[in-house]
Amino acid sequence: MNKLSRSQFLQTSIMLFGLFFGAGNLIFPPLLGNQAGSRTWIALVSFAVTAVIFPVLGTIVVGKTEGLSQLANRVGPKFSIIFTTAIYLSIGPGLGIPRAGSVPFEMAVAPYIPEAMSLGLARLIYTLAFFALALWLCLKPNQLVKRVGKYLTPLLLLMILLMFARVMFMPKGVAEPVDAYATSPVVQGFLEGYNTMDAVAALNFGFVISMAIRRFGVQDKKEVAKYTMKSGLLAGLVLFLVYAMLAAIGMVSSQKLAGADNGAFILTQAVQAALGNFGLVFLAGIFTLACLTTCVGLITSGAEYFNQLFKEKLSYRAWVFIWTGFSFLVANFGLNNLLAFSVPVLTVIYPVALVLILMGISQEVVQYGPLSYLVAATVSVALPLVDMLQTTFKVSFPGLTSLVANLPLASQGLGWLVPTLVALLISLACEKVLLPRYASSPVNEWTR
């Protein structure tokens, strides 16, 4: 079979949306709407650049290069193993998976637990049920599209749509923008989307989608890449529409909830006002479904990757049990300690992930050589690493640390951007002019 049916394509695309859409994606847009107020739509467009477009591009690039490892291998084999493993570990059991189990509990369940009941026991029961369901969903990857794309994610979308429609019938009051949104809504929206770090998740989920397409019988590389691209575009469109609905909820309640600093609080107040106490249960269901679909994608992609990395010495099912069991324990007994390590790691690998996505998507046009990939990756890793060591561990390097701190856009966490762009242009010029042999390097074969 060389084609997907319309139903298979839609289920795959909706599954990809569900993999992307976790708790963070629920709470960022309402906060944006609350703080941007009357300038919400301007801010939302720039938010979409980093929260929608980059993740979609990441999915497409991974589909075209047949996996994150192949994309990272353009820098070098050792870099590929270290970078890819760091992404799967940090965004998987090191951050994304255990947080996916604990965040919906903390945000939508814990505030309403009776005082007489132990909070730790309630969390244990909730996360046990959560991860047991995630385990069941992941053990049969052949059923993943059906379970997530046909049932769970459509249910999630329906619940979000009902929440949005009900809140829109409530009295509205749009406030003026506050803080950074008052002076630079475009920049602030861009930075908020950057903070979702969904571009890193896309490098994981692109692999899940391409594998799902192959399980439908599509084996031709070009067809897999084409369907991955189309699924990414449709998932991105749905993602933007959902972001618009959530931002609208924050915007129309911005007068009443002025000063709110948490998207979960905004949703809770708006839904409770619209649906009463039932709204709290309804919202808890939305948070749980959103986190569950993301969790499933992270477990599946990680298990597939490590199964291949260790040449199937442990089965896919074994890796699913390992990742799920470890994440369950961390969610209950060590999440804060693990976050203290994994979040700094993500701040280092996120910039180079963005660089690889942009270079990968433009490879056929620009024809970067090995030097360009090596230089761009080195700069986009080294500068965030220096900054992270100073801000997190108070480790500084004479001259270098202060230089990094004074780079353009450093105060916004984007100090790596301009130097990486300059370094890339210089290395590209060297390849095209001074070292023409790079133009016919094996990089050209990567795009075939």
Side-chain angles (χ1 to χ4, degrees):
M1 176 177 164
N2 296 317
K3 303 290 183 180
L4 293 182
S5 68
R6 180 176 298 180
S7 175
Q8 290 169 338
F9 170 70
L10 287 175
Q11 289 177 37
T12 303
S13 303
I14 295 301
M15 180 182 78
L16 178 58
F17 162 82
L19 300 184
F20 276 126
F21 196 78
N25 308 81
L26 262 172
I27 62 179
F28 274 112
L31 185 60
L32 179 150
N34 177 273
Q35 296 181 343
S38 59
R39 307 187 79 173
T40 292
W41 304 119
I42 298 175
L44 182 66
V45 170
S46 60
F47 175 86
V49 172
T50 42
V52 177
I53 294 177
F54 269 104
V56 170
L57 292 179
T59 303
I60 294 171
V61 168
V62 170
K64 290 177 64 176
T65 56
E66 299 183 75
L68 174 56
S69 297
Q70 295 300 317
L71 175 63
N73 198 51
R74 296 180 177 182
V75 179
K78 292 182 179 179
F79 173 85
S80 177
I81 293 176
I82 295 172
F83 173 71
T84 306
T85 303
I87 281 187
Y88 277 108
L89 288 177
S90 59
I91 204 171
L95 173 63
I97 302 172
R99 194 172 68 172
S102 62
V103 165
F105 174 81
E106 299 292 343
M107 290 185 170
V109 179
Y112 312 104
I113 296 295
E115 292 185 6
M117 184 177 184
S118 167
L119 190 63
L121 178 61
R123 181 188 295 109
L124 184 69
I125 295 172
Y126 178 89
T127 53
L128 180 61
F130 180 92
F131 283 112
L133 181 55
L135 178 69
W136 176 74
L137 290 168
C138 294
L139 283 177
K140 291 187 177 181
N142 291 336
Q143 297 293 318
L144 196 62
V145 173
K146 182 177 181 180
R147 292 171 175 174
V148 176
K150 188 175 182 179
Y151 298 117
L152 292 180
T153 305
L155 177 59
L156 171 63
L157 285 170
L158 178 61
M159 293 175 72
I160 292 173
L161 183 61
L162 291 174
M163 175 180 68
F164 168 74
R166 186 66 187 89
V167 171
M168 287 300 105
F169 281 105
M170 299 293 292
K172 303 175 182 64
V174 180
E176 290 301 308
V178 298
D179 300 330
Y181 286 105
T183 55
S184 52
V186 173
V187 174
Q188 188 61 24
F190 181 91
L191 293 175
E192 284 300 310
Y194 178 88
N195 289 336
T196 66
M197 294 197 173
D198 270 350
V200 172
L203 298 178
N204 292 27
F205 298 152
F207 180 64
V208 176
I209 292 301
S210 62
M211 291 295 290
I213 292 170
R214 286 187 172 89
R215 290 190 181 104
F216 279 125
V218 180
Q219 298 301 325
D220 183 77
K221 295 179 181 179
K222 291 184 179 179
E223 287 296 311
V224 172
K226 183 184 74 173
Y227 281 121
T228 302
M229 178 183 70
K230 289 182 176 180
S231 294
L233 292 173
L234 181 55
L237 175 61
V238 176
L239 196 59
F240 178 76
L241 293 175
V242 171
Y243 283 154
M245 288 189 283
L246 294 171
I249 290 175
M251 179 183 70
V252 300
S253 61
S254 56
Q255 279 188 353
K256 183 178 181 180
L257 301 176
D261 58 1
N262 186 291
F265 172 79
I266 295 167
L267 287 178
T268 299
Q269 294 300 308
V271 173
Q272 187 172 25
L275 298 173
N277 290 333
F278 170 74
L280 303 177
V281 178
F282 192 77
L283 186 61
I286 290 177
F287 269 100
T288 299
L289 277 175
C291 289
L292 180 63
T293 53
T294 299
C295 181
V296 166
L298 292 172
I299 293 174
T300 302
S301 59
E304 294 271 15
Y305 169 71
F306 279 95
N307 179 43
Q308 295 182 9
L309 179 65
F310 291 101
K311 304 184 186 305
E312 300 184 355
K313 291 182 180 179
L314 282 179
S315 67
Y316 166 81
R317 290 174 63 89
W319 282 111
V320 168
F321 275 101
I322 291 171
W323 278 47
T324 307
F326 179 80
S327 300
F328 166 72
L329 293 174
V330 170
N332 284 278
F333 305 111
L335 182 58
N336 291 336
N337 292 331
L338 194 59
L339 291 181
F341 172 77
S342 58
V343 171
V345 171
L346 271 175
T347 63
V348 173
I349 63 178
Y350 194 56
V352 69
L354 297 181
V355 170
L356 289 178
I357 288 172
L358 289 177
M359 294 181 70
I361 206 70
S362 59
Q363 173 64 38
E364 294 182 3
V365 176
V366 182
Q367 291 293 312
Y368 305 100
L371 181 63
S372 291
Y373 277 97
L374 180 61
V375 170
T378 300
V379 176
S380 59
V381 167
L383 297 182
L385 178 61
V386 171
D387 182 59
M388 183 273 288
L389 290 174
Q390 168 61 28
T391 56
T392 305
F393 301 106
K394 307 303 178 185
V395 175
S396 61
F397 302 92
L400 183 58
T401 299
S402 59
L403 174 64
V404 171
N406 288 290
L407 289 170
L409 304 176
S411 60
Q412 286 84 29
L414 299 173
W416 57 272
L417 185 58
V418 174
T420 301
L421 179 60
V422 172
L424 176 59
L425 292 176
I426 293 174
S427 59
L428 185 61
C430 289
E431 288 176 332
K432 300 297 184 182
V433 179
L434 301 179
L435 302 172
R437 65 180 179 274
Y438 280 110
S440 58
S441 69
V443 173
N444 295 327
E445 298 178 4
W446 297 334
T447 63
R448 294 177 184 174

